[in-house]
Amino acid sequence: MFVFWKSSSNMSDLVSPEYQGCVDGSLMNGFSVFIQGLLAVLAFSTLMLKRFREPVGVRRSWRIWFFDTSKQAIGALCMHFANIFLSTLTNEDPCSLYLLNFLLDATLGMLVIWVGVKVVSKIVEHKQLTLLMFGEYGDPPRIAAWLAQCSVYLLLVALEKSVVTLVLLIPGWTNLEEVVLDYIPNPQLELAIVMLIVPFIVNSIMFWVVDSLTMRKYKKRTSLEGSRDCPKQVEVLPNESNDEAEVLLKEDEDDATVF
């Protein structure tokens, strides 16, 4: 009887309303670091899959791919540690706070980065600042171009994180934080959801979208040679004027007409 009562008491303590989820320091313990490393490998593998899905004619070399994706990797790493730091500033459940930070990064933050990349690209194209054109590193690729573009991207990440932090200061987020992971009694399961399962799904989408934004752009047109269903890849570099591109296309069309 005593053993049964003791076991029931322990179970009630586990699921009691006073359970506070993962405690301060849980985001950087051994299990959490392992989960974070596994997440990095899985999420980054989606970018490798994206490269192999690119058409063979315009597929990036491994060096260009590394230049493109490393900017994202550094930005995601900065964002990750910023979220961990922000999650430890209060006495609330750090796992729930981290998840809220992350979900805001993936929604509102993604919008800020998208607008920022578009604005920067327009300014760079107008000013002809070839060093800052996303995805353009010269031939051969220069580390200086990568450093310049990486710096611009990190500034956009800092802007995004500032906007998300200001949003979290709005009253009412604490009430939402209390119910996000309130029904998960196991702290390691909570860590796995916060640090692996949800971030893997969301990061895969974010990495794919941002990589498409910041990689070198190619345009397609329909070939006049043979069937109209036969696509022909035409590379249009951002630093070429529209007039030059139109002249090149015009010459190809004239050649096709002659033959």
Side-chain angles (χ1 to χ4, degrees):
M1 180 67 70
F2 174 75
V3 174
F4 176 78
W5 175 84
K6 184 177 180 180
S7 175
S8 301
S9 177
N10 290 339
M11 182 60 69
S12 63
D13 291 340
L14 183 64
V15 297
S16 64
E18 287 79 14
Y19 178 72
Q20 297 298 318
C22 61
V23 297
D24 190 19
S26 297
L27 296 179
M28 291 302 294
N29 62 22
F31 179 75
S32 179
V33 171
F34 169 76
I35 289 294
Q36 294 170 47
L38 182 60
L39 169 65
V41 173
L42 292 176
F44 212 68
S45 64
T46 61
L47 292 177
M48 297 183 67
L49 173 63
K50 183 177 184 295
R51 178 188 178 275
F52 285 115
R53 286 178 57 85
E54 295 171 359
V56 177
V58 296
R59 181 176 297 168
R60 291 170 288 179
S61 66
W62 281 110
R63 187 174 184 180
I64 297 298
W65 176 85
F66 176 77
F67 277 3
D68 285 342
T69 56
S70 57
K71 292 179 290 188
Q72 273 205 80
I74 296 173
L77 194 64
C78 294
M79 202 180 301
H80 170 70
F81 284 110
N83 288 343
I84 291 179
F85 173 74
L86 292 172
S87 300
T88 59
L89 294 181
T90 67
N91 295 325
E92 305 294 337
D93 179 7
C95 288
S96 297
L97 287 175
Y98 179 90
L99 186 60
L100 283 179
N101 271 282
F102 180 81
L103 292 177
L104 282 173
D105 286 334
T107 51
L108 177 62
M110 188 70 239
L111 178 62
V112 172
I113 291 178
W114 181 83
V115 172
V117 169
K118 291 294 185 181
V119 170
V120 169
S121 298
K122 290 294 183 181
I123 295 175
V124 167
E125 184 178 357
H126 178 71
K127 299 293 185 179
Q128 288 296 302
L129 303 173
T130 55
L131 200 66
L132 296 178
M133 289 182 177
F134 285 117
E136 294 290 333
Y137 308 103
D139 188 16
R142 294 175 296 167
I143 191 67
W146 176 84
L147 286 172
Q149 295 174 34
C150 187
S151 299
V152 172
Y153 184 73
L154 290 179
L155 287 176
L156 293 178
V157 170
L159 173 64
E160 176 271 333
K161 197 67 246 178
S162 300
V163 172
V164 168
T165 302
L166 290 176
V167 170
L168 282 173
L169 294 177
I170 300 175
W173 287 106
T174 304
N175 296 331
L176 179 60
E177 176 268 332
E178 290 177 353
V179 299
V180 170
L181 300 171
D182 191 50
Y183 299 102
I184 302 177
N186 190 319
Q188 289 192 337
L189 177 60
E190 185 174 350
L191 275 173
I193 293 175
V194 169
M195 289 288 190
L196 180 63
I197 300 174
V198 175
F200 170 67
I201 297 172
V202 178
N203 270 333
S204 299
I205 299 173
M206 288 180 61
F207 283 177
W208 199 291
V209 171
V210 174
D211 186 58
S212 298
L213 283 174
T214 57
M215 67 181 289
R216 190 180 195 180
K217 299 299 187 294
Y218 294 87
K219 293 182 180 180
K220 294 181 180 179
R221 73 176 177 88
T222 302
S223 174
L224 297 178
E225 302 172 0
S227 172
R228 289 185 175 272
D229 296 331
C230 177
K232 181 177 180 180
Q233 298 289 340
V234 177
E235 178 180 349
V236 180
L237 301 180
N239 56 351
E240 289 182 347
S241 65
N242 291 332
D243 294 338
E244 291 175 341
E246 291 176 1
V247 169
L248 292 175
L249 292 176
K250 181 65 176 178
E251 291 176 355
D252 289 343
E253 292 173 0
D254 292 340
D255 294 340
T257 304
V258 171
F259 290 105

